[in-house]
């Protein structure tokens, strides 16, 4: 069984907050022994030390550390507290796909997001299973605000609690500084391709721009996005073409030129390979004639 270092969530939709509080244990107190809670349990120690296990893993969660326990596993105390220990805890859940991983790999969605009016990409958010909080005082302030918001009238509490939770969730996300150089390079390539997709781009162009051999560029992109740079570029161009088919009345030739393809016939061929129908037929399935 591989060790869980990250919990990865496919968004949208975003996970949502359920409940939370701050708890203080005295010396000799034990954390509860629980099975199959049905939601994620986040524990952030403010002072002291918790000895917690989950299945075949165990942690000493010390001051300013955050641990996430999974909804379908057995959580149990390893030993009683040896000192006064205060910790924030909150529960959350998601209706989307998530998984436990040894490394922060992308989750590939099983179905695309409908995009009749705009294009919204799936993103994988990675939370370390256990981490030292970078700015604990700032996070504690957010947690205090989250807990206070739950005491307000129900409708106001709903909006404030969920908005604050998203902010906290973002604070716990796998930090950019923890990414290795290949991941950072892959993201730079992604940005470059999105900014320049209307232009002709070759592997040699990428090599010259990033001053790195094209084979290494391809390896970085394959690791991060499961596609080479040119495969990513092709998919992005086709996604932009699909959006234009839905949002405009431009001809296929106009869309071809706008998305960086050299010939309408090649655009149509690639479009059909990806989406299973021609650009014309794809547009017609969302088009209703006026009388």
């Amino acid at each position: 069984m591989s060790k869980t270092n990250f919990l990865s969530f496919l968004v949208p939709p975003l996970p949502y907050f359920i409940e939370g509080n701050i708890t203080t244990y005295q010396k000799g107190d034990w954390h509860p022994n629980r099975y199959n809670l049905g939601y994620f349990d986040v524990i952030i120690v403010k002072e002291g030390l918790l000895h917690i296990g989950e299945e075949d893993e165990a942690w000493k969660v010390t001051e300013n550390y955050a641990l996430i326990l999974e909804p379908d596993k057995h959580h149990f105390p390893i030993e009683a507290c040896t000192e006064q220990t205060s910790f924030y805890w909150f529960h959350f859940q998601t209706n989307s796909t998530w998984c436990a991983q040894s490394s922060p790999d992308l989750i590939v969605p099983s179905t695309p997001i409908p995009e009749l009016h705009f294009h919204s990409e799936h993103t994988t958010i990675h939370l370390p299973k256990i981490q030292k909080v970078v700015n604990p005082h700032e996070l504690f302030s957010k947690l205090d605000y989250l807990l206070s918001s739950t005491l307000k009238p129900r409708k106001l509490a709903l909006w404030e609690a969920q908005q604050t939770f998203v902010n906290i969730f973002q604070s716990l996300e796998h930090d950019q500084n923890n990414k290795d150089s290949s991941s950072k390079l892959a993201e730079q390539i992604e940005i470059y391709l999105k900014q320049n997709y209307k232009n002709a781009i070759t592997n040699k162009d990428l090599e010259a721009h990033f001053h790195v051999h094209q084979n290494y560029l391809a390896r970085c992109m394959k690791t991060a996005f499961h596609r080479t740079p040119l495969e990513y570029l092709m998919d992005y161009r086709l996604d932009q073409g699909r959006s234009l088919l839905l949002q405009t009345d431009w001809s296929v030739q106009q869309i071809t030129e706008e998305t960086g393809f050299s010939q309408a016939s090649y655009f149509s061929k690639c479009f059909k390979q990806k989406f299973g129908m021609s650009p014309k037929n794809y547009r017609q399935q969302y088009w209703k004639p006026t009388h």
Side-chain angles (χ1 to χ4, degrees):
M1 182 177 179
S2 60
K3 184 178 179 181
T4 297
N5 295 320
F6 297 92
L7 299 179
S8 302
F9 300 83
L10 184 67
V11 298
L14 284 165
Y16 56 91
F17 170 75
I18 299 174
E19 62 178 342
N21 211 333
I22 184 168
T23 297
T24 298
Y25 288 159
Q26 302 301 322
K27 183 178 179 179
D29 288 343
W30 293 73
H31 191 269
N33 186 334
R34 299 174 296 194
Y35 293 86
N36 299 323
L37 282 178
Y39 42 74
F40 296 89
D41 185 9
V42 181
I43 294 171
I44 305 171
V45 174
K46 191 173 184 180
E47 62 173 349
L49 170 65
L50 286 176
H51 298 264
I52 298 179
E54 180 184 70
E55 302 293 349
D56 57 353
E57 294 189 73
W59 302 272
K60 293 180 179 181
V61 191
T62 58
E63 182 178 311
N64 298 335
Y65 269 81
L67 171 69
I68 306 177
L69 299 172
E70 296 168 51
D72 53 350
K73 291 186 176 180
H74 177 205
H75 315 144
F76 52 90
I78 301 297
E79 60 181 84
C81 291
T82 55
E83 58 187 295
Q84 180 173 295
T85 299
S86 295
F87 61 96
Y88 291 94
W89 59 267
F90 63 87
H91 300 153
F92 74 89
Q93 189 52 283
T94 180
N95 291 325
S96 187
T97 302
W98 72 276
C99 63
Q101 304 190 92
S102 58
S103 59
D105 298 323
L106 290 176
I107 298 176
V108 179
S110 57
T111 56
I113 295 179
E115 44 184 85
L116 291 177
H117 302 293
F118 60 90
H119 179 60
S120 177
E121 294 186 74
H122 281 101
T123 300
T124 305
I125 294 176
H126 307 287
L127 302 187
K129 181 76 173 176
I130 188 166
Q131 64 174 297
K132 185 172 185 179
V133 177
V134 177
N135 297 305
H137 295 299
E138 180 182 335
L139 180 59
F140 296 158
S141 178
K142 292 177 182 177
L143 287 163
D144 288 335
Y145 188 81
L146 173 66
L147 298 180
S148 67
S149 70
T150 62
L151 302 177
K152 296 182 178 180
R154 183 176 297 272
K155 191 168 184 180
L156 183 60
L158 168 68
W159 290 107
E160 283 202 5
Q162 297 304 330
Q163 289 169 354
T164 306
F165 165 70
V166 168
N167 202 313
I168 291 170
F169 199 81
Q170 185 178 14
S171 299
L172 297 175
E173 185 182 3
H174 184 45
D175 191 85
Q176 291 285 334
N177 295 327
N178 292 328
K179 294 183 179 179
D180 57 33
S181 58
S182 65
S183 297
K184 291 178 181 178
L185 178 57
E187 291 186 350
Q188 291 171 9
I189 298 168
E190 178 192 29
I191 292 170
Y192 177 84
L193 294 174
K194 286 184 174 181
Q195 290 177 339
N196 297 278
Y197 73 94
K198 297 180 184 181
N199 305 323
I201 300 175
T202 66
N203 282 323
K204 284 293 185 183
D205 295 328
L206 294 173
E207 191 175 76
H209 181 81
F210 290 101
H211 308 290
V212 177
H213 195 278
Q214 58 184 274
N215 290 346
Y216 182 68
L217 295 177
R219 275 203 307 276
C220 292
M221 286 293 287
K222 288 279 281 187
T223 299
F225 298 105
H226 306 288
R227 288 169 285 182
T228 66
L230 296 189
E231 287 171 344
Y232 187 98
L233 176 62
M234 173 65 76
D235 281 345
Y236 188 73
R237 283 172 168 167
L238 290 171
D239 285 337
Q240 296 307 303
R242 178 167 63 166
S243 294
L244 290 172
L245 285 167
L246 298 175
Q247 297 171 9
T248 74
D249 58 0
W250 292 359
S251 67
V252 171
Q253 180 61 44
Q254 284 177 289
I255 293 174
T256 297
E257 296 169 0
E258 181 68 17
T259 53
F261 285 90
S262 57
Q263 295 181 337
S265 58
Y266 183 57
F267 167 70
S268 297
K269 176 184 176 182
C270 295
F271 191 94
K272 187 172 183 178
Q273 286 176 341
K274 181 172 183 179
F275 299 112
M277 64 184 74
S278 69
K280 180 181 178 181
N281 289 340
Y282 185 86
R283 171 180 272 168
Q284 284 180 339
Q285 71 176 339
Y286 296 109
W287 178 76
K288 184 178 181 180
T290 55
H291 298 290

